[in-house]
Amino acid sequence: TAVEALRAAGIMMVVSAGNEGPGCNTVWIPASEDAVFSVGATGSSDTIASFSGRGPVTIDGSNRLKPDISAPGVSVRSSVRGGGYGHLSGTSMATPHVAGAIALLIDIYTGYSHLEIKELLLSKTDPIPSLAGKTKSGGRLNIYNAMPVEIIPWGEPGDIPVPGDYNGDGITDEYGSTVSKVYGDNGIFDVTLTVTDSYGASSSKTVTVTVLN
C-alpha cells in the first residue's frame, strides 16, 4: 500500500485517529494501518476525549490496538482561518503535538531510524488509565521523558553530576562533583550514582545518558 511504501522509504506518516468515538473499532483508514503513527486525543483532565477514535481495529481482522499514542486535543488554542485565534477540539488538534515531537527527536537522535524514534516516543509516554486497551501505548505524549539528560559521544568519557554536601554546610549541592564513565556502545542508559561520605550520609542521582556514535 501507499503507507507501507512510505514507511519502507524511511518516511513517518503521522495521522489523526478520527473523531468517530466513543465506540470501539472507530479508527479508520489510513489511521488504522500498521505502517502509520496514529494519534488520539485527551482532555485537560488526562482522560480520553469522548470523540476520539479508538481500537481495536477489526476492519482487516488484525485486532491491532490503534491509535498508537494520544495527545492533548480538547479546546486547544490555535490560529484559525480568517485570522486570529480560537479553541478547537479533535484528533487533528492532537496530531501536531506528536508530529512536532517526532521532528524534534529526529534532530536530536541523528543516528536513529524513524522506527526507532517511534518506539522511543511510545516507550516514554505517561500511562493513562482511560487509554489502556484503547491505544497501543496506553499513554499520553510526554516529549520531556524522551529527551536525553545529556548526550555523550561514543567511546568518550562523560561527566555526570552527582548531588552531595561538598562544602560541609549541610545542604545538598546538586552539581558539586562529577564522575566519569566511558561507554562503548550506542544507546540510552539510566545510570544511578550514589555517593557516601565518611559519616555514612549518602546521596543519589539517576540520569538518562544517550550515547551516540
Side-chain angles (χ1 to χ4, degrees):
T1 65
V3 292
E4 289 170 339
L6 285 173
R7 179 169 65 177
I11 300 171
M12 185 178 299
M13 186 175 180
V14 186
V15 181
S16 60
N19 304 321
E20 301 298 326
C24 296
N25 189 27
T26 50
V27 180
W28 307 109
I29 295 174
S32 60
E33 295 285 328
D34 180 61
V36 306
F37 199 3
S38 55
V39 184
T42 56
S44 58
S45 59
D46 256 349
T47 57
I48 188 171
S50 60
F51 56 78
S52 187
R54 63 206 73 183
V57 174
T58 59
I59 190 173
D60 58 2
S62 66
N63 289 315
R64 74 174 67 90
L65 286 178
K66 283 282 185 172
D68 296 285
I69 196 172
S70 291
V74 178
S75 296
V76 177
R77 183 172 171 81
S78 172
S79 58
V80 295
R81 186 170 56 183
Y85 295 87
H87 290 84
L88 302 173
S89 297
T91 54
S92 292
M93 301 305 294
T95 302
H97 293 295
V98 176
I102 290 171
L104 179 61
L105 294 179
I106 288 175
D107 185 59
I108 293 173
Y109 298 101
T110 55
Y112 280 34
S113 70
H114 69 294
L115 295 178
E116 289 173 321
I117 292 292
K118 176 182 177 180
E119 292 306 314
L120 171 63
L121 201 58
L122 290 178
S123 69
K124 298 296 184 178
T125 59
D126 284 336
I128 304 298
S130 67
L131 300 178
K134 298 182 178 70
T135 65
K136 181 178 179 180
S137 66
R140 187 245 311 124
L141 172 73
N142 189 329
I143 181 63
Y144 180 81
N145 289 345
M147 297 289 288
V149 172
E150 61 178 292
I151 297 179
I152 298 176
W154 176 89
E156 296 181 14
D159 289 332
I160 303 171
V162 182
D165 180 10
Y166 296 102
N167 58 11
D169 61 1
I171 300 175
T172 297
D173 305 307
E174 184 69 12
Y175 299 105
S177 182
T178 60
V179 296
S180 184
K181 181 175 177 60
V182 176
Y183 292 88
D185 296 304
N186 289 340
I188 300 175
F189 307 92
D190 288 329
V191 180
T192 300
L193 300 169
T194 301
V195 176
T196 304
D197 63 21
S198 59
Y199 299 99
S202 63
S203 183
S204 299
K205 184 177 181 67
T206 299
V207 297
T208 300
V209 177
T210 300
V211 184
L212 300 178
N213 189 353

